[in-house]
Structure formats: C-alpha cells, structure tokens
Amino acid sequence: ETGVTQSPTHLIKTRGQQVTLRCSSQSGHNTVSWYQQALGQGPQFIFQYYREEENGRGNFPPRFSGLQFPNYSSELNVNALELDDSALYLCASSRDLVSTDTQYFGPGTRLTVL
Amino acid sequence: AQRVTQPEKLLSVFKGAPVELKCNYSYSGSPELFWYVQYSRQRLQLLLRHISRESIKGFTADLNKGETSFHLKKPFAQEEDSAMYYCALPTGANNLFFGTGTRLTVIP
C-alpha cells in the first residue's frame, strides 16, 4: 500500500520564479528522496532527507533545496527557475536508509516553466 | 561510475510470446538491482528486486555478473504487462540511479 501524496498535481511558472513542491510520506517512513523526471527519461536523483537532515545529493545546483519535517512531510524548493526545470518531480519515501528498502513513490508534480 | 543502461526504448511483443527487457549495469562490487514499473495512469512502483530472487506477476530477473546484466523476463506476455519498465541501481543510502526505461507494448 502506498500512501505518498504530492501537491500540487500541475504547476506552471515563468523563468526566474521560485516554486515549492510538497510531499507527504507514508507514516513511519524516515527517508524521503526527490527525483526529477524529464520527458522520455528515467527519474534522476535530486537529494534525499533522513530524519530531517540532507543525506545525499545528486548532480543538481544549489538552487534546488529541500526540507523534511517531523510530521513526514517534505518540500522541494527551486529558485530562479529555468526552462530546463520543466519536468515531473517525484518524491519517494522509505522506512530507513537500507539500500534494499522499498521506495514508495508519489504520483508526481508536473512543473512547466515558460 | 555507477549506472544502468536500457538499450531499448520501445519493445512490442504479441500476447503469449516471451518477453525480455534488457538492463546492463556498471558497478564496482556486488550490486543490488531493482526493476520498477509504471502502468498507465499509475505511479512508479517496485516490481522486483535482485536480492529477493522472487517472481512477481510471472516476471523474473537474474543477475549475470559476467555480462553485467539484469534482464527482466517473462515466458508468456499478457496485455496487462504493457507498461514502462525501469531498471534501477542504488547509488548511495537508498537512492536510486534509473535507466531511461523501456516501454513494453503487448499486442493482443
């Protein structure tokens, strides 16, 4: 059973703006990971949070930042939006940091940057 | 560098025919590999993982260290198998490197 939710479903922004995407993890899951999925590509790892601290980061610039809260919710913030930021953003929660833990994905937020 | 490669973007097979979705990996050490699936209008979900050596929905995947492959196989494809399939490799503490995916279409 997957209980990961994301909001909003869709979002349209213009270049240079800032955006905040939200994710609610499954209860009891201490780890949340964010991925960017461009059209025709597989999900690409942005960063991961474990117990409210960043625990790893992919090849994304600092204008991509995040937060994780004690209530199993998290945010992805993107500053100074660029056209190439247009993508589906996925969050995934898992129980802990064990590499074999199943990651449960949310439905995603589709961001369009004009 | 750790990565996975899925050489086929599209794969079409007839119902009842065998299906094999290819995945090759680059990893130093003993990899833990996954197959994730995304059915139409559904979210990405785990199909199976190497460490469990399980068969899910008739699919199996064997790790071949000599060929650095983790191909997904099913002897008889069903229409409901039509989906997007991603091979994935953990690159850190439970974050995943995904391949570009293969869209499988099972023709009735």
Side-chain angles (χ1 to χ4, degrees):
Chain A
E1 179 186 346
T2 59
V4 181
T5 60
Q6 291 185 245
S7 63
T9 307
H10 297 88
L11 201 51
I12 299 175
K13 291 285 189 178
T14 55
R15 269 188 310 174
Q17 285 189 310
Q18 178 267 343
V19 69
T20 298
L21 310 182
R22 294 182 171 83
C23 171
S24 180
S25 300
Q26 269 189 241
S27 180
H29 282 192
N30 296 306
T31 306
V32 64
S33 301
W34 284 89
Y35 294 85
Q36 181 195 65
Q37 187 173 19
L39 204 59
Q41 301 295 317
Q44 190 173 359
F45 174 67
I46 302 174
F47 48 57
Q48 179 185 76
Y49 279 80
Y50 176 70
R51 295 184 186 263
E52 302 161 52
E53 299 217 355
E54 187 176 298
N55 186 64
R57 191 176 185 90
N59 190 25
F60 280 81
R63 59 190 186 85
F64 284 78
S65 63
L67 286 170
Q68 185 186 25
F69 304 102
N71 65 350
Y72 303 112
S73 66
S74 60
E75 290 180 356
L76 164 64
N77 298 290
V78 187
N79 292 323
L81 283 167
E82 301 176 0
L83 297 180
D84 284 350
D85 296 333
S86 295
L88 181 68
Y89 288 85
L90 300 169
C91 74
S93 74
S94 56
R95 191 167 300 279
D96 282 299
L97 289 175
V98 177
S99 62
T100 53
D101 272 355
T102 298
Q103 293 201 25
Y104 294 91
F105 282 82
T109 293
R110 184 161 298 283
L111 172 65
T112 302
V113 182
L114 303 176
Chain B
Q2 299 162 337
R3 61 180 59 250
V4 292
T5 304
Q6 294 180 252
E8 302 148 325
K9 273 203 170 302
L10 303 170
L11 181 65
S12 294
V13 299
F14 285 99
K15 178 181 174 181
V19 60
E20 181 180 72
L21 295 112
K22 293 183 167 56
C23 172
N24 290 91
Y25 66 89
S26 174
Y27 185 87
S28 55
S30 294
E32 296 162 357
L33 286 149
F34 301 83
W35 277 98
Y36 276 78
V37 62
Q38 187 166 26
Y39 300 103
S40 180
R41 298 187 188 87
Q42 295 188 28
R43 62 188 65 191
L44 196 59
Q45 59 186 284
L46 177 67
L47 178 62
L48 58 78
R49 66 187 85 192
H50 155 246
I51 197 169
S52 301
R53 297 187 171 275
E54 57 204 344
S55 172
I56 303 293
K57 298 184 179 183
F59 284 97
T60 58
D62 291 319
L63 182 65
N64 186 321
K65 292 185 179 180
E67 296 182 357
T68 60
S69 68
F70 188 59
H71 301 331
L72 184 68
K73 300 177 183 180
K74 184 170 182 176
F76 308 103
Q78 302 299 313
E79 288 180 66
E80 55 266 30
D81 296 329
S82 294
M84 195 74 185
Y85 291 82
Y86 294 96
C87 184
L89 173 71
T91 60
N94 201 17
N95 60 67
L96 298 169
F97 184 98
F98 285 88
T100 51
T102 298
R103 180 171 297 283
L104 173 66
T105 301
V106 180
I107 304 165

